[in-house]
Amino acid sequence: MKVYAEKNAETENVAGSNPLDETESETTDITGELPEGTAGETEKDPAEEPSEETTTDPAEETTEEEDRSGDAVEDAEEDDALTEDETAFVEEETALMEENPENDVVLFAEHIHNDIIYEPWTETDSLPEAEGNYYLTQNVTITERWLVKEGTIKLCLNGKTITMGNHTFGKSVVIISANGGELDLYDCVGSGKMTGADDSCVSNFGIFRMYGGEISGNSNDEGLFPDLSGGGVSNNQGTFYMYGGRITNNHNKYGGGGVYNKSDATFYMYGGEITNNVGGGVRNVGTFYLYDGKIESNTTSRYGGGGVKNEKFFYMYGGRITNNTSLIDAGGGVSNASLSGAFYMYGGEISGNASLLGGGGVMIYSPIYVYGGKISGNRVVNSGSGSGGVWFGSMYSDTGVSAYGQLTVGGSAVISGNKDISGTESNVGVSSANAIVIDGEKALSGNAVIGITVYDGYRPTEENPRRVTAANAADYSSYFYSDNPDYVVQKGADNAIFIAVGSSHVHQWADTWDCNATHHWHDCTAIGCPITNNAAKDGYAAHTENSGTVTKEPTETEVGIRTYKCSICGYVVRTETISATGTGIDKPDNGGGGGNPDDNNKTGDNPTENNNDGGNNSVSDNHTIANNDSESVDVSEDVIDADTVNSGDPVLDTDTETPVMIPEQSKDSEPKTARCSGT
């Protein structure tokens, strides 16, 4: 067994001149146990001991009392001795060594997060209740709830496990009090977790910040209030900030297997993962802001919303809701399941989700607003059960009137590539007039594209086209296409959009590529193709830049040119100069070129560096975790893509930690089409 005494170069060692630190290295390997009776003693240098042969002048001798009165002698003796606290710590760690002969034990270790030194917690059957900063040295099993009463407790799991074991029915691992209780959870090793609750693992009434660690293996299927709490986290009347870590493999068959965000609570998700929970990833009855991270591979068998079941206000600016499943209901990715709620999507991705009934991507009971991001690649798995992308459901109000949800679109919204059970495109399913609203202030632009499916009972005839939107201030028909090739999109009076019967059209996609400065696609060469929006054409995708080819070799007096093309379509994405081979030759300004005038600021030898300092909100799980406290996270520019957020959209203000408004951002129109230059 090995014992280590660590010494941080920036902080004085708690043991002072401890004999364990007598070597020059920062860490001393001490093999074996401390000899009996040597605690607090230090070795003396033989050169400092008087030899028996040394003759001392009587005039230089001093009495014992005089010797003790000498400050130098007294200080030297005190410096060489351990204090009572240090001696007790050595004895405690020595006992720990005897209990754990297979493990290495760290003496006087410094554990740091955000330049704060954490104290070791060595208990195995309890957790700290006093405000402070702690890290676990061993696994902990508790039989009573851990209550964070008041003040802030910062806890690093340090790769260890907290288990609720041998407990009576209905116990959480931790309850965070509303009376000023705050818990910050870290894990610098990466394998630490909290587990074993048969109620919500974390029941938060105060403030919970999660930077690392794992909340897993908790089940609330038969808890005290299973329909009103989650399996992993119940955010009751508090605020939950998730910056990292994992909430995974928890159960609540009534909904909220991962997180249940209650009516008076707010949940901000900036990173981390909510995955593989039964009962859905997130059930939101309060306010939920998703900026980054992923909600993935969750399932629900009772209610819709495999990824998120939203019953109040859900704002999505980024992140991914992907590969979730609703086994017996609608809304594989998101179920907007309350007449009093709303879902606002400004960015991010809802993809790869599935549901038995309609809305593999999103189920609408209450209004949703899609101003950016992508709803794509979702599906339904039951024949005749609605669209694979977005499905409008009906819900009866207290008066018995059936209410249908409504979809408002704008900006760069993409709802495309979703499918029904047969593999046929089935994006936004429409069964009534004016089901879709185009926002006049956030009008469709850029690469926006929306596929439309009309259902039996609302299918168009030659005499009766079916209205999809009301009147609009401009013609937006090019942003829509019919999922059924027998129908076409038409512009009606006042720019209203209709689905109408058209001639049966068979696409004949060209072998060559067409493109603009950002994307490429295949045009249809058949006469009368109804698709006018490039984003809905075959092969539409962003350019993929290759590694570049030297198209002009440099000479002693002239610069060369390296050209970067799209590896798919051959479009010249950009060029850069190569320095002349001679000496003393000034490099000329780069003219850019290729087909992308925005690349004029790039040169071969002095490229503009991409500053990503603020663009990553992920949390480091090393022993030193920098800038992860909530007060240091700036989401005003880095987490939110300002180009896709519009006036009136709430974002997080780092000072107040409440939603604020940001000014209107300009939107770039799609570049003009340019024939690709070749392969």
Side-chain angles (χ1 to χ4, degrees):
M1 172 168 185
K2 295 182 179 179
V3 185
Y4 297 98
E6 296 186 355
K7 183 176 182 180
N8 188 293
E10 297 180 358
T11 307
E12 184 178 357
N13 192 303
V14 296
S17 55
N18 190 327
L20 300 181
D21 295 320
E22 62 188 4
T23 64
E24 295 181 359
S25 62
E26 292 187 354
T27 302
T28 303
D29 185 351
I30 302 173
T31 304
E33 300 181 356
L34 295 175
E36 183 178 354
T38 60
E41 297 182 4
T42 59
E43 291 186 359
K44 303 292 185 179
D45 189 337
E48 296 177 357
E49 296 286 344
S51 66
E52 296 180 357
E53 299 177 0
T54 302
T55 302
T56 304
D57 189 334
E60 296 178 357
E61 292 184 357
T62 59
T63 66
E64 182 177 352
E65 289 76 10
E66 290 172 336
D67 218 4
R68 290 177 178 174
S69 66
D71 292 339
V73 175
E74 186 179 45
D75 291 344
E77 290 178 352
E78 290 182 357
D79 285 346
D80 286 341
L82 293 174
T83 66
E84 291 183 6
D85 290 341
E86 293 163 357
T87 301
F89 194 85
V90 171
E91 293 173 351
E92 183 178 357
E93 294 293 337
T94 302
L96 183 61
M97 288 163 25
E98 295 173 352
E99 295 174 3
N100 300 273
E102 302 298 325
N103 298 325
D104 293 346
V105 178
V106 178
L107 300 182
F108 315 123
E110 286 181 345
H111 192 101
I112 300 175
H113 293 275
N114 294 337
D115 297 325
I116 299 173
I117 298 177
Y118 280 52
E119 302 175 16
W121 183 261
T122 59
E123 301 296 327
T124 61
D125 58 359
S126 65
L127 290 162
E129 296 184 0
E131 182 175 15
N133 312 309
Y134 307 91
Y135 71 94
L136 300 183
T137 61
Q138 300 181 81
N139 294 332
V140 177
T141 299
I142 55 177
T143 57
E144 295 294 332
R145 296 181 178 97
W146 173 33
L147 177 61
V148 179
K149 296 179 182 178
E150 58 185 6
T152 301
I153 293 179
K154 297 179 182 289
L155 178 69
C156 178
L157 296 175
N158 194 33
K160 304 301 187 292
T161 298
I162 299 174
T163 303
M164 173 59 78
N166 298 324
H167 55 282
T168 57
F169 175 71
K171 289 290 180 69
S172 301
V173 171
V174 56
I175 295 180
I176 304 170
S177 170
N179 298 322
E182 299 184 18
L183 173 63
D184 292 359
L185 184 67
Y186 296 88
D187 179 28
C188 57
V189 175
S191 56
K193 65 181 178 180
M194 300 171 68
T195 188
D198 64 7
D199 206 334
S200 303
C201 180
V202 176
S203 187
N204 177 42
F205 295 86
I207 296 178
F208 177 36
R209 304 179 188 92
M210 185 174 183
Y211 298 97
E214 181 176 291
I215 297 173
S216 64
N218 305 283
S219 177
N220 195 14
D221 289 348
E222 305 296 337
L224 293 177
F225 304 101
D227 196 30
L228 298 174
S229 55
V233 174
S234 280
N235 197 31
N236 296 293
Q237 299 168 351
T239 305
F240 176 24
Y241 301 90
M242 186 174 184
Y243 299 98
R246 301 176 65 206
I247 300 174
T248 184
N249 291 311
N250 303 286
H251 290 249
N252 185 344
K253 63 184 180 183
Y254 295 97
V259 176
Y260 191 144
N261 192 52
K262 292 191 177 180
S263 59
D264 296 326
T266 305
F267 176 23
Y268 298 93
M269 184 173 179
Y270 299 108
E273 304 175 7
I274 300 176
T275 62
N276 296 299
N277 299 284
V278 175
V282 176
R283 182 179 179 184
N284 176 52
V285 191
T287 305
F288 175 28
Y289 297 90
L290 175 59
Y291 294 100
D292 204 352
K294 63 181 180 181
I295 301 173
E296 182 175 75
S297 300
N298 304 282
T299 61
T300 179
S301 58
R302 180 174 177 127
Y303 301 111
V308 176
K309 181 183 180 185
N310 178 50
E311 300 175 56
K312 200 64 175 179
F313 297 110
F314 174 25
Y315 302 90
M316 183 175 180
Y317 294 99
R320 300 178 63 208
I321 301 175
T322 182
N323 296 329
N324 303 283
T325 304
S326 178
L327 297 173
I328 62 173
D329 210 327
V334 175
S335 177
N336 209 40
S338 170
L339 293 178
S340 61
F343 170 34
Y344 297 83
M345 184 176 182
Y346 299 100
E349 178 180 331
I350 300 175
S351 65
N353 304 286
S355 63
L356 180 71
L357 302 180
V362 179
M363 173 66 183
I364 302 177
Y365 290 112
S366 55
I368 73 168
Y369 303 82
V370 182
Y371 298 126
K374 179 168 64 174
I375 302 174
S376 182
N378 305 286
R379 68 192 190 281
V380 291
V381 295
N382 190 26
S383 178
S385 295
S387 59
V390 176
W391 189 42
F392 297 89
S394 60
M395 183 177 291
Y396 288 94
S397 66
D398 294 338
T399 61
V401 176
S402 178
Y404 289 86
Q406 190 170 70
L407 169 64
T408 299
V409 296
S412 58
V414 173
I415 308 175
S416 180
N418 304 283
K419 297 182 179 181
D420 62 19
I421 191 172
S422 67
T424 301
E425 272 213 62
S426 177
N427 292 295
V428 179
V430 174
S431 57
S432 63
N434 304 333
I436 300 176
V437 175
I438 301 174
D439 194 309
E441 296 182 358
K442 303 178 180 66
L444 291 166
S445 62
N447 295 323
V449 58
I450 299 167
I452 303 295
T453 290
V454 288
Y455 291 125
D456 292 339
Y458 196 69
R459 295 185 185 277
T461 63
E462 292 184 0
E463 298 79 19
N464 187 22
R466 294 298 190 177
R467 181 189 290 268
V468 175
T469 76
N472 297 292
D475 179 11
Y476 298 110
S477 60
S478 63
Y479 294 99
F480 294 85
Y481 68 96
S482 172
D483 294 331
N484 187 333
D486 292 334
Y487 306 139
V488 295
V489 173
Q490 288 183 348
K491 180 187 73 170
D494 298 323
N495 296 314
I497 295 175
F498 290 80
I499 294 291
V501 173
S503 58
S504 297
H505 181 84
V506 178
H507 293 301
Q508 297 177 14
W509 301 114
D511 294 331
T512 57
W513 290 98
D514 270 79
C515 57
N516 57 29
T518 59
H519 291 74
H520 52 250
W521 60 87
H522 293 294
D523 269 332
C524 178
T525 60
I527 297 174
C529 179
I531 297 180
T532 59
N533 189 348
N534 295 330
K537 295 179 180 179
D538 182 60
Y540 182 82
H543 292 310
T544 302
E545 185 180 289
N546 65 14
S547 58
T549 303
V550 176
T551 52
K552 179 183 176 183
E553 295 287 348
T555 67
E556 289 189 358
T557 58
E558 294 184 357
V559 297
I561 297 176
R562 180 178 284 105
T563 301
Y564 295 85
K565 294 183 178 182
C566 173
S567 60
I568 305 299
C569 71
Y571 177 78
V572 176
V573 178
R574 65 184 177 93
T575 62
E576 67 180 14
T577 57
I578 305 172
S579 299
T581 59
T583 58
I585 304 299
D586 292 334
K587 292 182 289 186
D589 292 337
N590 181 25
N596 190 349
D598 293 333
D599 289 321
N600 290 344
N601 64 336
K602 299 178 181 178
T603 63
D605 293 304
N606 188 22
T608 302
E609 292 186 1
N610 182 20
N611 182 4
N612 288 325
D613 290 344
N616 185 0
N617 273 333
S618 64
V619 178
S620 169
D621 265 340
N622 298 316
H623 277 271
T624 299
I625 298 182
N627 299 323
N628 285 326
D629 283 340
S630 63
E631 60 269 22
S632 65
V633 176
D634 183 2
V635 299
S636 60
E637 294 180 359
D638 301 325
V639 179
I640 308 168
D641 183 0
D643 289 336
T644 63
V645 181
N646 305 282
S647 177
D649 304 335
V651 297
L652 187 66
D653 176 69
T654 55
D655 295 327
T656 63
E657 294 182 333
T658 57
V660 298
M661 316 308 268
I662 66 174
E664 177 79 19
Q665 302 295 318
S666 61
K667 301 181 180 67
D668 296 330
S669 59
E670 183 176 295
K672 292 180 64 177
T673 299
R675 176 72 65 176
C676 292
S677 57
T679 58

